[in-house]
């Protein structure tokens, strides 16, 4: 529980949450720009790049989450768990 009391200990997880949101927003933006058009090769590469990065980030992040969820659920107040997750 000591690691949850230190805001610095959870900083990497908060940064990863922010990066996941950024990658999701980037993918959404690329799709909106595409509209109903058929994507050209450059757009296809950009979409794949974002998806592969998001997949890699999520694959590692979800394993880390499995470690932290039991800790958080047993010793951190609800408000603190939102802060740890990088939400306001």
């Amino acid at each position: 529980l000591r690691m949850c009391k230190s805001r610095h200990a959870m900083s990497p997880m908060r940064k990863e949450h922010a990066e996941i949101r950024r990658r999701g927003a980037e993918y959404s933006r690329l799709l909106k720009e595409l509209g109903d058009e058929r994507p050209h090769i450059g757009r296809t590469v950009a979409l794949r790049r974002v998806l592969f990065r998001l997949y890699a980030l999520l694959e590692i992040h979800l394993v880390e989450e499995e470690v932290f969820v039991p800790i958080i659920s047993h010793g951190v107040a609800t408000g603190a768990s939102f802060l740890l997750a990088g939400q306001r």
Side-chain angles (χ1 to χ4, degrees):
L1 289 181
R2 186 171 26 153
M3 80 172 146
C4 291
K5 292 179 182 178
S6 169
R7 65 184 179 100
H8 299 295
M10 298 303 291
S11 181
M13 292 293 280
R14 285 194 301 274
K15 288 178 182 177
E16 287 177 8
H17 287 151
E19 185 62 22
I20 290 166
R21 284 190 293 274
R22 274 194 296 276
R23 296 290 174 198
E26 182 180 5
Y27 184 73
S28 179
R29 179 186 55 79
L30 288 169
L31 286 179
K32 284 181 185 175
E33 288 175 2
L34 183 61
D36 293 332
E37 298 175 24
R38 183 176 176 169
H40 55 78
I41 190 71
R43 182 63 51 152
T44 301
V45 169
L47 287 166
R48 285 182 181 176
R49 176 184 46 82
V50 172
L51 282 177
F52 286 138
R53 287 179 178 173
L54 185 58
Y55 175 81
L57 180 61
L58 284 170
E59 188 172 39
I60 293 168
H61 184 78
L62 291 175
V63 171
E64 293 170 342
E65 289 274 347
E66 288 179 11
V67 172
F68 286 111
V69 167
I71 294 168
I72 291 170
S73 65
H74 285 96
V76 179
T78 304
S81 64
F82 281 111
L83 290 173
L84 293 173
Q87 301 171 353
R88 290 176 173 81

